[in-house]
């Protein structure tokens, strides 16, 4: 996956993380914003470098858990950008116990673990498909991002 960060929980934190997962059920994933910009002057030959960045998620807990997560993918050949793709997704979850979910996600390590691992697993298929479509629309040979490992 794009985010190279150390995501670890101790035993007690992992128990709380499992409680979090047991208290939420995914409702929907919506693409709320998407854009791409292609450098039509740059012909793609040979290998390219792909950089994937993400902004911290915006997490809101009321009766349900709603998360906004943004990604930006830059494809470069040499020092020139070939394609820049960005997307923001809204993931909504039903929460069995919103107060419990909120209290667990207030713990920084658990929130980062949820965001970096769980959200990435949910959103990665959407990112891959939409990026492939954007690269095709940009006049490039459709470019498929690797599977999340």
């Amino acid at each position: 996956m794009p985010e190279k960060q150390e995501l670890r929980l101790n035993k007690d934190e992992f128990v709380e993380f499992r409680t979090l997962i047991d208290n939420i059920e995914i409702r929907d994933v919506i693409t709320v914003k998407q854009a791409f910009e292609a450098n039509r002057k740059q012909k793609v030959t040979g290998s390219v470098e792909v950089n994937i960045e993400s902004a911290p998620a915006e997490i809101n807990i009321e009766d349900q858990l709603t998360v906004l997560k943004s990604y930006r993918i830059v494809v470069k050949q040499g020092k020139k950008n070939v394609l820049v793709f960005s997307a923001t997704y809204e993931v909504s979850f039903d929460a069995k116990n919103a107060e419990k979910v909120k209290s667990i996600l207030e713990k920084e390590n658990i929130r980062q673990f949820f965001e970096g691992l769980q959200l990435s697993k949910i959103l990665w298929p959407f990112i891959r498909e939409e990026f492939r479509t954007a690269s095709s629309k940009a006049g490039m040979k459709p470019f498929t991002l690797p599977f999340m490992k």
Side-chain angles (χ1 to χ4, degrees), residues 9 12-26 59-61 64-67 93-119 122:
L9 297 177
D12 293 334
E13 290 170 329
F14 190 75
V15 168
E16 282 193 274
F17 174 75
R18 287 299 315 155
T19 302
L20 168 67
I21 297 304
D22 290 344
N23 273 279
I24 59 175
E25 186 68 41
I26 192 164
I59 298 175
N60 183 23
I61 306 166
Q64 68 177 20
L65 169 63
T66 305
V67 182
F93 300 86
D94 290 321
K96 293 176 188 171
N97 182 336
E99 286 303 314
K100 180 75 143 172
V101 169
K102 185 175 183 173
S103 71
I104 293 171
L105 285 173
E106 285 174 348
K107 297 172 181 159
E108 187 65 20
N109 273 359
I110 297 173
R111 188 195 62 71
Q112 286 181 352
F113 193 80
F114 173 74
E115 180 182 336
L117 187 66
Q118 204 66 31
L119 283 178
I122 292 167

Side-chain angles (χ1 to χ4, degrees), residues 1-3 26 28-34 52-59 66-73 85 87-93 114-131 145-148:
M1 179 57 198
E3 299 163 348
I26 192 164
D28 207 355
V29 177
I30 299 168
T31 304
V32 294
K33 184 169 105 176
Q34 184 183 95
I52 303 171
E53 307 161 356
S54 68
E58 295 177 31
I59 298 175
T66 305
V67 182
L68 282 176
K69 181 74 175 166
S70 297
Y71 292 89
R72 183 172 183 261
I73 302 171
F85 170 84
T88 300
Y89 302 92
E90 179 183 89
V91 185
S92 58
F93 300 86
F114 173 74
E115 180 182 336
L117 187 66
Q118 204 66 31
L119 283 178
S120 295
K121 284 181 181 179
I122 292 167
L123 292 173
W124 193 240
F126 293 88
I127 296 164
R128 288 183 78 224
E129 187 277 326
E130 291 175 356
F131 178 80
L145 295 171
F147 285 111
M148 186 172 132

Side-chain angles (χ1 to χ4, degrees), residues 38-44 77 80-82 138:
N39 181 347
R40 301 288 296 146
K41 295 177 184 174
Q42 179 73 28
K43 294 289 182 196
V44 179
Q77 188 160 52
K80 295 187 178 188
N81 289 352
V82 176

